[in-house]
mmCIF file of all heavy atoms in Angstrom:
data_model
loop_
_atom_site.group_PDB
_atom_site.id
_atom_site.type_symbol
_atom_site.label_atom_id
_atom_site.label_comp_id
_atom_site.label_asym_id
_atom_site.label_seq_id
_atom_site.Cartn_x
_atom_site.Cartn_y
_atom_site.Cartn_z
ATOM 1 N N ILE A 127 -59.970 20.586 -116.320
ATOM 2 C CA ILE A 127 -60.682 19.728 -117.174
ATOM 3 C C ILE A 127 -59.914 19.180 -118.296
ATOM 4 O O ILE A 127 -60.184 18.069 -118.930
ATOM 5 C CB ILE A 127 -61.890 20.484 -117.770
ATOM 6 C CG1 ILE A 127 -62.989 19.435 -118.324
ATOM 7 C CG2 ILE A 127 -61.566 21.390 -118.847
ATOM 8 C CD1 ILE A 127 -64.337 20.110 -118.532
ATOM 9 N N GLY A 128 -58.790 19.833 -118.747
ATOM 10 C CA GLY A 128 -57.814 19.278 -119.784
ATOM 11 C C GLY A 128 -57.275 17.901 -119.387
ATOM 12 O O GLY A 128 -56.901 17.177 -120.293
ATOM 13 N N ALA A 129 -57.104 17.689 -118.186
ATOM 14 C CA ALA A 129 -56.530 16.369 -117.698
ATOM 15 C C ALA A 129 -57.477 15.185 -118.085
ATOM 16 O O ALA A 129 -56.934 14.112 -118.151
ATOM 17 C CB ALA A 129 -56.327 16.350 -116.131
ATOM 18 N N LEU A 130 -58.598 15.422 -118.367
ATOM 19 C CA LEU A 130 -59.597 14.345 -118.665
ATOM 20 C C LEU A 130 -59.813 14.226 -120.214
ATOM 21 O O LEU A 130 -60.614 13.473 -120.634
ATOM 22 C CB LEU A 130 -60.970 14.580 -118.141
ATOM 23 C CG LEU A 130 -60.927 14.803 -116.602
ATOM 24 C CD1 LEU A 130 -62.344 15.249 -116.124
ATOM 25 C CD2 LEU A 130 -60.615 13.448 -115.906
ATOM 26 N N GLY A 131 -58.964 14.909 -120.944
ATOM 27 C CA GLY A 131 -58.989 14.781 -122.369
ATOM 28 C C GLY A 131 -60.182 15.515 -123.014
ATOM 29 O O GLY A 131 -60.523 15.245 -124.137
ATOM 30 N N ALA A 132 -60.803 16.427 -122.161
ATOM 31 C CA ALA A 132 -62.012 17.133 -122.691
ATOM 32 C C ALA A 132 -61.713 18.486 -123.061
ATOM 33 O O ALA A 132 -62.536 19.266 -123.546
ATOM 34 C CB ALA A 132 -63.053 17.099 -121.593
ATOM 35 N N ASP A 133 -60.427 18.946 -122.979
ATOM 36 C CA ASP A 133 -60.122 20.310 -123.245
ATOM 37 C C ASP A 133 -59.697 20.596 -124.691
ATOM 38 O O ASP A 133 -58.610 20.653 -125.011
ATOM 39 C CB ASP A 133 -59.010 20.858 -122.254
ATOM 40 C CG ASP A 133 -58.838 22.379 -122.331
ATOM 41 O OD1 ASP A 133 -59.699 23.092 -122.908
ATOM 42 O OD2 ASP A 133 -57.853 22.861 -121.695
ATOM 43 N N ASP A 134 -60.724 20.629 -125.503
ATOM 44 C CA ASP A 134 -60.486 20.846 -126.906
ATOM 45 C C ASP A 134 -60.835 22.214 -127.374
ATOM 46 O O ASP A 134 -61.071 22.587 -128.485
ATOM 47 C CB ASP A 134 -61.302 19.805 -127.755
ATOM 48 C CG ASP A 134 -62.761 19.940 -127.464
ATOM 49 O OD1 ASP A 134 -63.155 20.741 -126.618
ATOM 50 O OD2 ASP A 134 -63.599 19.211 -128.197
ATOM 51 N N ARG A 135 -60.847 23.170 -126.362
ATOM 52 C CA ARG A 135 -61.244 24.553 -126.648
ATOM 53 C C ARG A 135 -60.134 25.249 -127.490
ATOM 54 O O ARG A 135 -60.419 26.157 -128.258
ATOM 55 C CB ARG A 135 -61.481 25.303 -125.371
ATOM 56 C CG ARG A 135 -62.530 24.645 -124.459
ATOM 57 C CD ARG A 135 -62.460 25.174 -123.129
ATOM 58 N NE ARG A 135 -61.145 24.782 -122.470
ATOM 59 C CZ ARG A 135 -60.819 25.220 -121.312
ATOM 60 N NH1 ARG A 135 -61.640 26.004 -120.577
ATOM 61 N NH2 ARG A 135 -59.663 24.895 -120.745
ATOM 62 N N MET A 136 -58.843 24.954 -127.243
ATOM 63 C CA MET A 136 -57.762 25.672 -127.889
ATOM 64 C C MET A 136 -57.079 24.633 -128.808
ATOM 65 O O MET A 136 -56.375 23.836 -128.468
ATOM 66 C CB MET A 136 -56.877 26.240 -126.929
ATOM 67 C CG MET A 136 -57.469 27.382 -126.063
ATOM 68 S SD MET A 136 -57.901 28.790 -127.034
ATOM 69 C CE MET A 136 -56.363 29.460 -127.400
ATOM 70 N N PRO A 137 -57.305 24.848 -130.183
ATOM 71 C CA PRO A 137 -56.606 23.968 -131.104
ATOM 72 C C PRO A 137 -55.152 24.326 -131.189
ATOM 73 O O PRO A 137 -54.683 25.345 -130.782
ATOM 74 C CB PRO A 137 -57.239 24.272 -132.516
ATOM 75 C CG PRO A 137 -57.778 25.652 -132.341
ATOM 76 C CD PRO A 137 -58.245 25.751 -130.874
ATOM 77 N N PRO A 138 -54.270 23.303 -131.593
ATOM 78 C CA PRO A 138 -52.840 23.625 -131.677
ATOM 79 C C PRO A 138 -52.378 24.495 -132.830
ATOM 80 O O PRO A 138 -53.246 24.683 -133.820
ATOM 81 C CB PRO A 138 -52.286 22.151 -131.787
ATOM 82 C CG PRO A 138 -53.299 21.418 -132.511
ATOM 83 C CD PRO A 138 -54.664 22.003 -132.070
ATOM 84 N N GLY A 139 -51.119 24.814 -132.904
ATOM 85 C CA GLY A 139 -50.615 25.502 -133.937
ATOM 86 C C GLY A 139 -51.067 26.842 -134.321
ATOM 87 O O GLY A 139 -51.290 27.697 -133.417
ATOM 88 N N LEU A 140 -51.202 27.133 -135.568
ATOM 89 C CA LEU A 140 -51.531 28.530 -135.950
ATOM 90 C C LEU A 140 -52.916 28.893 -135.504
ATOM 91 O O LEU A 140 -53.086 30.183 -135.164
ATOM 92 C CB LEU A 140 -51.515 28.657 -137.570
ATOM 93 C CG LEU A 140 -51.875 29.985 -138.148
ATOM 94 C CD1 LEU A 140 -50.940 31.100 -137.718
ATOM 95 C CD2 LEU A 140 -51.865 29.867 -139.714
ATOM 96 N N ALA A 141 -53.867 28.049 -135.531
ATOM 97 C CA ALA A 141 -55.223 28.350 -135.089
ATOM 98 C C ALA A 141 -55.185 28.877 -133.579
ATOM 99 O O ALA A 141 -55.910 29.778 -133.166
ATOM 100 C CB ALA A 141 -56.085 27.191 -135.250
ATOM 101 N N ARG A 142 -54.334 28.155 -132.748
ATOM 102 C CA ARG A 142 -54.313 28.590 -131.283
ATOM 103 C C ARG A 142 -53.775 29.954 -131.187
ATOM 104 O O ARG A 142 -54.230 30.776 -130.478
ATOM 105 C CB ARG A 142 -53.440 27.573 -130.597
ATOM 106 C CG ARG A 142 -53.272 27.931 -129.137
ATOM 107 C CD ARG A 142 -52.292 26.969 -128.403
ATOM 108 N NE ARG A 142 -52.146 27.406 -126.954
ATOM 109 C CZ ARG A 142 -52.854 26.788 -126.049
ATOM 110 N NH1 ARG A 142 -53.660 25.783 -126.286
ATOM 111 N NH2 ARG A 142 -52.562 27.083 -124.824
ATOM 112 N N THR A 143 -52.720 30.236 -132.067
ATOM 113 C CA THR A 143 -52.102 31.616 -132.010
ATOM 114 C C THR A 143 -53.014 32.688 -132.426
ATOM 115 O O THR A 143 -53.115 33.729 -131.818
ATOM 116 C CB THR A 143 -50.903 31.642 -132.941
ATOM 117 O OG1 THR A 143 -49.919 30.593 -132.606
ATOM 118 C CG2 THR A 143 -50.243 32.947 -132.873
ATOM 119 N N LEU A 144 -53.839 32.393 -133.428
ATOM 120 C CA LEU A 144 -54.801 33.391 -133.906
ATOM 121 C C LEU A 144 -55.972 33.581 -132.803
ATOM 122 O O LEU A 144 -56.396 34.803 -132.585
ATOM 123 C CB LEU A 144 -55.539 32.877 -135.165
ATOM 124 C CG LEU A 144 -54.583 32.891 -136.433
ATOM 125 C CD1 LEU A 144 -55.314 32.244 -137.576
ATOM 126 C CD2 LEU A 144 -54.032 34.279 -136.755
ATOM 127 N N LEU A 145 -56.408 32.592 -132.117
ATOM 128 C CA LEU A 145 -57.337 32.696 -131.143
ATOM 129 C C LEU A 145 -56.780 33.431 -129.923
ATOM 130 O O LEU A 145 -57.514 34.358 -129.351
ATOM 131 C CB LEU A 145 -57.885 31.345 -130.693
ATOM 132 C CG LEU A 145 -58.797 30.578 -131.592
ATOM 133 C CD1 LEU A 145 -59.104 29.186 -131.084
ATOM 134 C CD2 LEU A 145 -60.096 31.362 -131.800
ATOM 135 N N GLU A 146 -55.582 33.212 -129.637
ATOM 136 C CA GLU A 146 -54.971 33.921 -128.402
ATOM 137 C C GLU A 146 -54.778 35.324 -128.846
ATOM 138 O O GLU A 146 -54.987 36.307 -127.986
ATOM 139 C CB GLU A 146 -53.606 33.237 -128.101
ATOM 140 C CG GLU A 146 -53.720 31.995 -127.358
ATOM 141 C CD GLU A 146 -52.350 31.447 -126.851
ATOM 142 O OE1 GLU A 146 -51.376 32.053 -127.329
ATOM 143 O OE2 GLU A 146 -52.446 30.597 -125.981
ATOM 144 N N ALA A 147 -54.452 35.662 -130.048
ATOM 145 C CA ALA A 147 -54.357 37.063 -130.501
ATOM 146 C C ALA A 147 -55.560 37.776 -130.510
ATOM 147 O O ALA A 147 -55.643 38.934 -130.015
ATOM 148 C CB ALA A 147 -53.662 37.105 -131.954
ATOM 149 N N ALA A 148 -56.644 37.156 -130.883
ATOM 150 C CA ALA A 148 -57.959 37.753 -130.770
ATOM 151 C C ALA A 148 -58.353 38.027 -129.397
ATOM 152 O O ALA A 148 -58.973 39.115 -129.242
ATOM 153 C CB ALA A 148 -58.991 36.852 -131.528
ATOM 154 N N ASP A 149 -58.141 37.097 -128.451
ATOM 155 C CA ASP A 149 -58.517 37.326 -127.162
ATOM 156 C C ASP A 149 -57.644 38.467 -126.479
ATOM 157 O O ASP A 149 -58.153 39.265 -125.750
ATOM 158 C CB ASP A 149 -58.387 36.015 -126.278
ATOM 159 C CG ASP A 149 -58.816 36.100 -124.882
ATOM 160 O OD1 ASP A 149 -60.093 35.940 -124.754
ATOM 161 O OD2 ASP A 149 -58.108 36.521 -124.005
ATOM 162 N N TRP A 150 -56.379 38.521 -126.845
ATOM 163 C CA TRP A 150 -55.536 39.480 -126.376
ATOM 164 C C TRP A 150 -55.957 40.904 -126.822
ATOM 165 O O TRP A 150 -55.954 41.877 -126.043
ATOM 166 C CB TRP A 150 -54.077 39.241 -126.868
ATOM 167 C CG TRP A 150 -53.050 40.324 -126.526
ATOM 168 C CD1 TRP A 150 -52.606 40.615 -125.196
ATOM 169 C CD2 TRP A 150 -52.494 41.187 -127.414
ATOM 170 N NE1 TRP A 150 -51.678 41.619 -125.306
ATOM 171 C CE2 TRP A 150 -51.596 42.065 -126.645
ATOM 172 C CE3 TRP A 150 -52.572 41.378 -128.797
ATOM 173 C CZ2 TRP A 150 -50.829 43.051 -127.216
ATOM 174 C CZ3 TRP A 150 -51.728 42.431 -129.335
ATOM 175 C CH2 TRP A 150 -50.930 43.238 -128.518
ATOM 176 N N MET A 151 -56.461 40.993 -128.129
ATOM 177 C CA MET A 151 -56.851 42.243 -128.667
ATOM 178 C C MET A 151 -58.109 42.698 -127.999
ATOM 179 O O MET A 151 -58.390 43.820 -127.610
ATOM 180 C CB MET A 151 -57.135 42.118 -130.148
ATOM 181 C CG MET A 151 -55.771 41.999 -130.918
ATOM 182 S SD MET A 151 -56.171 41.682 -132.698
ATOM 183 C CE MET A 151 -56.848 43.284 -133.166
ATOM 184 N N ARG A 152 -59.070 41.769 -127.655
ATOM 185 C CA ARG A 152 -60.263 42.024 -127.005
ATOM 186 C C ARG A 152 -59.970 42.523 -125.600
ATOM 187 O O ARG A 152 -60.648 43.502 -125.097
ATOM 188 C CB ARG A 152 -61.192 40.742 -127.040
ATOM 189 C CG ARG A 152 -62.524 41.042 -126.286
ATOM 190 C CD ARG A 152 -63.531 39.829 -126.586
ATOM 191 N NE ARG A 152 -63.110 38.575 -126.125
ATOM 192 C CZ ARG A 152 -62.552 37.610 -126.874
ATOM 193 N NH1 ARG A 152 -62.666 37.763 -128.194
ATOM 194 N NH2 ARG A 152 -62.089 36.459 -126.383
ATOM 195 N N ARG A 153 -59.063 41.866 -124.938
ATOM 196 C CA ARG A 153 -58.768 42.245 -123.569
ATOM 197 C C ARG A 153 -58.124 43.606 -123.477
ATOM 198 O O ARG A 153 -58.342 44.473 -122.655
ATOM 199 C CB ARG A 153 -57.741 41.230 -122.938
ATOM 200 C CG ARG A 153 -57.388 41.644 -121.530
ATOM 201 C CD ARG A 153 -56.525 40.490 -120.826
ATOM 202 N NE ARG A 153 -56.107 40.812 -119.498
ATOM 203 C CZ ARG A 153 -55.005 41.449 -119.223
ATOM 204 N NH1 ARG A 153 -54.125 41.891 -120.147
ATOM 205 N NH2 ARG A 153 -54.763 41.668 -117.844
ATOM 206 N N GLY A 154 -57.277 43.895 -124.554
ATOM 207 C CA GLY A 154 -56.781 45.340 -124.644
ATOM 208 C C GLY A 154 -57.758 46.366 -124.852
ATOM 209 O O GLY A 154 -57.686 47.472 -124.286
ATOM 210 N N TRP A 155 -58.793 46.058 -125.608
ATOM 211 C CA TRP A 155 -59.859 46.990 -125.814
ATOM 212 C C TRP A 155 -60.562 47.345 -124.456
ATOM 213 O O TRP A 155 -60.970 48.438 -124.184
ATOM 214 C CB TRP A 155 -60.826 46.567 -126.933
ATOM 215 C CG TRP A 155 -62.080 47.285 -127.022
ATOM 216 C CD1 TRP A 155 -63.306 46.999 -126.496
ATOM 217 C CD2 TRP A 155 -62.224 48.549 -127.606
ATOM 218 N NE1 TRP A 155 -64.203 47.947 -126.816
ATOM 219 C CE2 TRP A 155 -63.549 49.044 -127.445
ATOM 220 C CE3 TRP A 155 -61.271 49.504 -128.208
ATOM 221 C CZ2 TRP A 155 -63.968 50.306 -127.923
ATOM 222 C CZ3 TRP A 155 -61.836 50.720 -128.654
ATOM 223 C CH2 TRP A 155 -63.084 51.147 -128.538
ATOM 224 N N ASN A 156 -60.860 46.186 -123.760
ATOM 225 C CA ASN A 156 -61.520 46.301 -122.428
ATOM 226 C C ASN A 156 -60.775 47.213 -121.518
ATOM 227 O O ASN A 156 -61.283 47.991 -120.763
ATOM 228 C CB ASN A 156 -61.760 45.054 -121.824
ATOM 229 C CG ASN A 156 -62.900 44.249 -122.724
ATOM 230 O OD1 ASN A 156 -63.705 44.798 -123.356
ATOM 231 N ND2 ASN A 156 -62.857 42.918 -122.510
ATOM 232 N N ASP A 157 -59.399 46.998 -121.505
ATOM 233 C CA ASP A 157 -58.548 47.707 -120.556
ATOM 234 C C ASP A 157 -58.628 49.187 -121.033
ATOM 235 O O ASP A 157 -58.507 50.063 -120.151
ATOM 236 C CB ASP A 157 -57.169 47.198 -120.639
ATOM 237 C CG ASP A 157 -57.054 45.810 -119.927
ATOM 238 O OD1 ASP A 157 -57.964 45.542 -119.148
ATOM 239 O OD2 ASP A 157 -56.013 45.161 -120.082
ATOM 240 N N LEU A 158 -58.616 49.443 -122.355
ATOM 241 C CA LEU A 158 -58.502 50.841 -122.761
ATOM 242 C C LEU A 158 -59.787 51.595 -122.407
ATOM 243 O O LEU A 158 -59.782 52.753 -121.921
ATOM 244 C CB LEU A 158 -58.376 50.810 -124.331
ATOM 245 C CG LEU A 158 -58.364 52.143 -125.059
ATOM 246 C CD1 LEU A 158 -57.241 52.998 -124.500
ATOM 247 C CD2 LEU A 158 -58.408 51.980 -126.467
ATOM 248 N N VAL A 159 -60.903 50.957 -122.547
ATOM 249 C CA VAL A 159 -62.246 51.567 -122.219
ATOM 250 C C VAL A 159 -62.423 51.737 -120.769
ATOM 251 O O VAL A 159 -62.726 52.716 -120.145
ATOM 252 C CB VAL A 159 -63.369 50.791 -122.906
ATOM 253 C CG1 VAL A 159 -64.670 51.445 -122.506
ATOM 254 C CG2 VAL A 159 -63.217 50.876 -124.418
ATOM 255 N N LEU A 160 -62.324 50.559 -120.054
ATOM 256 C CA LEU A 160 -62.629 50.458 -118.640
ATOM 257 C C LEU A 160 -61.525 51.216 -117.763
ATOM 258 O O LEU A 160 -61.794 51.681 -116.716
ATOM 259 C CB LEU A 160 -62.713 48.978 -118.103
ATOM 260 C CG LEU A 160 -63.891 48.287 -118.844
ATOM 261 C CD1 LEU A 160 -63.931 46.782 -118.276
ATOM 262 C CD2 LEU A 160 -65.195 48.834 -118.646
ATOM 263 N N GLY A 161 -60.416 51.244 -118.288
ATOM 264 C CA GLY A 161 -59.259 51.905 -117.525
ATOM 265 C C GLY A 161 -58.885 53.321 -117.968
ATOM 266 O O GLY A 161 -57.707 53.613 -117.953
ATOM 267 N N PHE A 162 -59.841 53.975 -118.550
ATOM 268 C CA PHE A 162 -59.593 55.248 -119.096
ATOM 269 C C PHE A 162 -59.513 56.291 -117.987
ATOM 270 O O PHE A 162 -60.489 57.123 -117.809
ATOM 271 C CB PHE A 162 -60.667 55.546 -120.226
ATOM 272 C CG PHE A 162 -60.299 56.821 -121.057
ATOM 273 C CD1 PHE A 162 -59.199 56.775 -121.899
ATOM 274 C CD2 PHE A 162 -61.197 57.857 -121.060
ATOM 275 C CE1 PHE A 162 -58.921 57.918 -122.593
ATOM 276 C CE2 PHE A 162 -60.859 59.010 -121.867
ATOM 277 C CZ PHE A 162 -59.840 59.023 -122.667
ATOM 278 N N ASP A 163 -58.318 56.421 -117.388
ATOM 279 C CA ASP A 163 -58.163 57.355 -116.331
ATOM 280 C C ASP A 163 -57.645 58.787 -116.759
ATOM 281 O O ASP A 163 -57.443 58.919 -117.944
ATOM 282 C CB ASP A 163 -57.311 56.753 -115.186
ATOM 283 C CG ASP A 163 -55.968 56.313 -115.729
ATOM 284 O OD1 ASP A 163 -55.631 56.752 -116.842
ATOM 285 O OD2 ASP A 163 -55.217 55.570 -115.018
ATOM 286 N N ALA A 164 -57.354 59.606 -115.876
ATOM 287 C CA ALA A 164 -56.849 60.891 -116.236
ATOM 288 C C ALA A 164 -55.520 60.866 -116.883
ATOM 289 O O ALA A 164 -55.210 61.696 -117.841
ATOM 290 C CB ALA A 164 -56.727 61.763 -114.866
ATOM 291 N N SER A 165 -54.677 60.005 -116.450
ATOM 292 C CA SER A 165 -53.373 59.820 -117.147
ATOM 293 C C SER A 165 -53.486 59.484 -118.696
ATOM 294 O O SER A 165 -52.828 60.109 -119.489
ATOM 295 C CB SER A 165 -52.483 58.836 -116.417
ATOM 296 O OG SER A 165 -51.254 58.630 -117.136
ATOM 297 N N LYS A 166 -54.427 58.557 -118.968
ATOM 298 C CA LYS A 166 -54.673 58.137 -120.355
ATOM 299 C C LYS A 166 -55.405 59.315 -121.036
ATOM 300 O O LYS A 166 -55.181 59.451 -122.375
ATOM 301 C CB LYS A 166 -55.482 56.898 -120.453
ATOM 302 C CG LYS A 166 -54.719 55.667 -119.915
ATOM 303 C CD LYS A 166 -55.428 54.445 -120.038
ATOM 304 C CE LYS A 166 -54.671 53.201 -119.632
ATOM 305 N NZ LYS A 166 -55.386 51.985 -119.665
ATOM 306 N N GLN A 167 -56.334 60.006 -120.385
ATOM 307 C CA GLN A 167 -56.943 61.199 -121.068
ATOM 308 C C GLN A 167 -56.027 62.188 -121.491
ATOM 309 O O GLN A 167 -56.131 62.813 -122.625
ATOM 310 C CB GLN A 167 -57.930 61.796 -120.130
ATOM 311 C CG GLN A 167 -59.227 60.953 -119.714
ATOM 312 C CD GLN A 167 -60.089 61.467 -118.710
ATOM 313 O OE1 GLN A 167 -59.989 62.623 -118.416
ATOM 314 N NE2 GLN A 167 -60.822 60.688 -118.055
ATOM 315 N N SER A 168 -54.925 62.525 -120.709
ATOM 316 C CA SER A 168 -53.971 63.500 -121.126
ATOM 317 C C SER A 168 -53.194 63.113 -122.259
ATOM 318 O O SER A 168 -52.558 63.941 -122.918
ATOM 319 C CB SER A 168 -53.004 63.808 -119.933
ATOM 320 O OG SER A 168 -52.266 62.713 -119.528
ATOM 321 N N GLN A 169 -53.165 61.777 -122.471
ATOM 322 C CA GLN A 169 -52.280 61.223 -123.667
ATOM 323 C C GLN A 169 -53.060 60.954 -124.858
ATOM 324 O O GLN A 169 -52.633 60.390 -125.897
ATOM 325 C CB GLN A 169 -51.503 60.028 -123.282
ATOM 326 C CG GLN A 169 -50.545 60.247 -122.009
ATOM 327 C CD GLN A 169 -49.954 58.998 -121.610
ATOM 328 O OE1 GLN A 169 -49.955 57.889 -122.282
ATOM 329 N NE2 GLN A 169 -49.411 58.977 -120.325
ATOM 330 N N LEU A 170 -54.380 61.314 -124.796
ATOM 331 C CA LEU A 170 -55.362 60.894 -125.843
ATOM 332 C C LEU A 170 -55.003 61.394 -127.194
ATOM 333 O O LEU A 170 -55.133 60.786 -128.220
ATOM 334 C CB LEU A 170 -56.764 61.476 -125.437
ATOM 335 C CG LEU A 170 -57.892 61.062 -126.367
ATOM 336 C CD1 LEU A 170 -58.074 59.602 -126.437
ATOM 337 C CD2 LEU A 170 -59.186 61.779 -126.020
ATOM 338 N N LEU A 171 -54.477 62.710 -127.314
ATOM 339 C CA LEU A 171 -54.270 63.390 -128.565
ATOM 340 C C LEU A 171 -52.758 63.268 -128.978
ATOM 341 O O LEU A 171 -52.473 63.832 -130.111
ATOM 342 C CB LEU A 171 -54.674 64.777 -128.512
ATOM 343 C CG LEU A 171 -56.142 65.108 -128.201
ATOM 344 C CD1 LEU A 171 -56.506 66.566 -128.206
ATOM 345 C CD2 LEU A 171 -57.024 64.308 -129.179
#
Side-chain angles (χ1 to χ4, degrees):
I127 201 168
L130 300 171
D133 192 9
D134 56 355
R135 302 163 299 175
M136 293 296 288
L140 178 61
R142 180 187 181 95
T143 302
L144 291 175
L145 287 175
E146 286 188 345
D149 187 84
W150 175 70
M151 292 175 64
R152 182 169 58 249
R153 180 176 181 269
W155 171 256
N156 290 338
D157 288 346
L158 176 65
V159 175
L160 300 178
F162 192 60
D163 55 15
S165 175
K166 291 182 179 178
Q167 291 175 18
S168 65
Q169 302 174 13
L170 180 66
L171 301 182

